[in-house]
Amino acid sequence: MQTNDQGNPGAFDFRHTHRPGRHCGSSAIRDLLEFHGLNLTEAFCFGLGAGLGITYVEIPGTETPFIVHVRSMGFEEAVFSTLGVPFHWESWQDQDAAADALDDYLDAGQPALLLTDIYHLPYFKSSTHFPGHAIVAWQRIEDGKAVLVSDTERPDLIRVPREDLAKARFSLSPPFIHQGSLFSPEGISVDVSPEKVRNAIIRNAETLKNGSRNQGIEALTTWIKELPRWKNFEKWPWLLRFAYQVIEKRGTGGSGFRTMYSEFLEEAGEIVPELKEAGLTHRMRESAAAWSALANCLRLGSESEVFPDEAITEAIKAVRVAELRYVDAALTL
């Protein structure tokens, strides 16, 4: 095992490439790619992963039994798949084995992408489970009793006790179920071609349009139909508040990730000129505005004494129209 000057486990040439970001997955992947020599913006990483999504989820018996996620499932895998980098999440049956495996990677000087539940990360002080949160582990410290990790908008590396990190890496809460999920490549050497960018955009549009009752644009119709159940839930103000946070606050970069995706489209237009001809950036900004208006409606509703059925319904319908306009334009590429 290598040690640093303080006698702590870790590589002699320890370094990290973390910079504050907006979304956990895209900023973590940007950091990991930059560590391996590929410099991309966070927005571009998000776009390569076909990150836009809409998922309607029911989790009975929780404080938020109805949840709408606005990011695609399997985003992290999709980024590396688009780039042509072999990828799979390593997983384990127990926390000790997962923690030991992470130790081995870090002692070899390889940072690791992890999925976590923020409930178990001490620096969040969260009373709500929120799994699927991506972070990067960089180095062991304090004789291996803690790990330095980077997390989205936080500028500095954060010390996390080893046992807390081990707990955070396991979750059985849908839709983000993970059992120690870890990805730590030894090296990455790829290029970003116009074809890869174009395919990622088309794939994302197809996923949104060709969904199901709980996936894609059709999930918005499901949400409208399910609003009476939201209204009858005893703690409906918290339901609305949480939905607002998921769209606007919880690592989305605002507007349910649509603002960040519009930035990706603007960058991508320099590589794939037909994106400009199709007006995709403009359409996506329209969608971002509709999502922000919906989020504001949910926020105001959470502060009201009366459940705002009609206002939420109309706001969701406006999002649906904007999303369809975008995907129809994208599918002409």
Side-chain angles (χ1 to χ4, degrees), residues 49-196:
L52 298 182
I54 309 169
T55 306
Y56 187 90
V57 182
E58 292 193 26
I59 312 177
T62 67
E63 290 188 352
T64 52
F66 313 112
I67 298 175
V68 177
H69 282 283
V70 288
R71 200 205 76 182
S72 62
M73 302 295 105
F75 160 76
E76 290 82 8
E77 301 98 312
V79 177
F80 294 100
S81 176
T82 297
L83 289 172
V85 176
F87 179 97
H88 77 280
W89 285 118
E90 291 188 68
S91 61
W92 293 265
Q93 292 300 312
D94 66 84
Q95 295 178 11
D96 289 340
D100 289 343
L102 175 60
D103 290 346
D104 291 340
Y105 281 116
L106 297 184
D107 291 346
Q110 291 179 220
L113 179 68
L114 308 175
L115 292 184
T116 62
D117 181 349
I118 68 172
Y119 180 83
H120 295 292
L121 295 175
Y123 56 90
F124 270 101
K125 298 182 173 63
S126 175
S127 60
T128 305
H129 287 278
F130 197 81
H133 181 72
I135 62 175
V136 177
W138 296 93
Q139 185 189 37
R140 295 203 293 154
I141 59 173
E142 299 173 6
D143 294 326
K145 295 178 182 177
V147 177
L148 290 177
V149 307
S150 58
D151 193 335
T152 325
E153 76 276 7
R154 291 169 170 81
D156 301 316
L157 298 189
I158 308 161
R159 174 195 175 278
V160 179
R162 186 175 185 269
E163 60 183 23
D164 290 329
L165 184 59
K167 291 178 183 176
R169 293 172 59 197
F170 283 74
S171 170
L172 295 178
S173 299
F176 296 107
I177 296 174
H178 42 82
Q179 293 182 283
S181 297
L182 176 154
F183 176 62
S184 180
E186 185 174 352
I188 295 175
S189 179
V190 296
D191 67 329
V192 182
S193 68
E195 183 181 10
K196 289 177 180 178

